[in-house]
Amino acid sequence: MPGRGPALPGLAVPALALRAPYDREKDPGTEKAPRKPRERRIDSPPTEVPVPMSRQREKVRFASGDTTCAAWHYPGTNGGCVIMAGGTAVTKEPASDLFARRFHDAGFAVLAIDYRRFGESGGAPRQVVRFDDQLADWQAAIDFAAGLPDVDPGGISLWGFSLSGGHVFRVAADNPRLASVIAQSPLVDGRAVAPNALRSMTPLALLRLFGRAVADALGGLLGRPPLLVPTAGVRGAVASLTTPDAMDGDRALDPDHRYPDWDRTVAARIALRIGGYRPGLHAPRTRCPLLVVVCDQDRTALPGPAVEAARNAPDAEVLHLEGGHYAPFLEAHEEAVAAEIAFLHKHLAGTNAAPGGGDLT
């Protein structure tokens, strides 16, 4: 899910044919019967092991739809690749930097993407979330990653946070050859979380948000520029989210103000669509191993729907963390990253990596 906002204001193309030259910018991934997923609650952090922080990554672009998506490619050493994307309007750097470097240091290639219409990717109108287009961007990223020289096509995993954590259920269901999927604080059922989100708003703010959303949707049909709202705000603000932990986004994703170009706004029309978005319903078709990371005090995506979706998946594990929606970036980061690296080593088929980073069993 997003950070704090300012005041209100198909058909896959072969990956090798899509590869653009690297910019080389240096910087300072048979049906089984549903079963109950293994659940583990972390009570104390593992011993922290110093990890070298890699400073090299490459800017790449790949075709998706009628435009191109921008991504950071961290070249890997073990054949595995983790494709990463963040929550609503969260661009690739604040969404992935904290985890991507750790995955890379563990030997995995990483492809951290901007969806079209966001960040450095192409596409217009800007800041508009269209679920089908974002799902198509995931597919294009998978096809592109499979053609990278350091990637074993059988060793591709997905990592999604919040809204993207919901997307990966649908993408995995459509791509049974994926090695594994990590859904972190996932938004899997808009119908289940919408009442909670509405309760967090004041009546006046709710009316103003929906009025702006309707105007934005109608304006979009007429080709007008999007009407934007902050992605998060305090109770009483006209923002996409005003849940108690929505405002943790800035300190979780950009505590040092390293990303001044990150636009923390979204087209208001998302308020009319998110309640009907239920990617967790695709869990029974998710064939690959799935790690669902839930935060027990999450007041934005809520842990219950994610646990239920995991129960409906053929091969799922649930990792419980203490804290709110952004806990994996904050107080529970070491627990989360250790468990996720262990999961990747366990399930990335075709890699030569040695196990490490933690143990889920």
Side-chain angles (χ1 to χ4, degrees), residues 222-247:
L222 299 174
R224 295 174 181 168
L227 297 177
L228 305 178
V229 295
T231 51
V234 298
R235 179 175 170 81
V238 180
S240 178
L241 275 173
T242 58
T243 47
D245 49 0
M247 291 299 292

Side-chain angles (χ1 to χ4, degrees), residues 184-252:
Q184 183 170 286
S185 303
L187 197 164
V188 298
D189 191 343
R191 184 181 298 178
V193 305
N196 178 71
L198 295 178
R199 284 192 297 270
S200 72
M201 299 180 180
T202 64
L204 179 59
L206 179 59
L207 287 173
R208 292 178 62 195
L209 174 63
F210 275 89
R212 194 168 183 84
V214 170
D216 180 43
L218 293 175
L221 296 176
L222 299 174
R224 295 174 181 168
L227 297 177
L228 305 178
V229 295
T231 51
V234 298
R235 179 175 170 81
V238 180
S240 178
L241 275 173
T242 58
T243 47
D245 49 0
M247 291 299 292
D248 291 338
D250 269 5
R251 71 184 184 93

Side-chain angles (χ1 to χ4, degrees), residues 57-77:
R57 58 186 182 182
E58 303 165 322
K59 186 70 62 61
V60 296
R61 303 190 75 89
F62 57 90
S64 186
D66 58 359
T67 187
T68 60
C69 292
W72 282 117
H73 169 224
Y74 300 70
T77 58

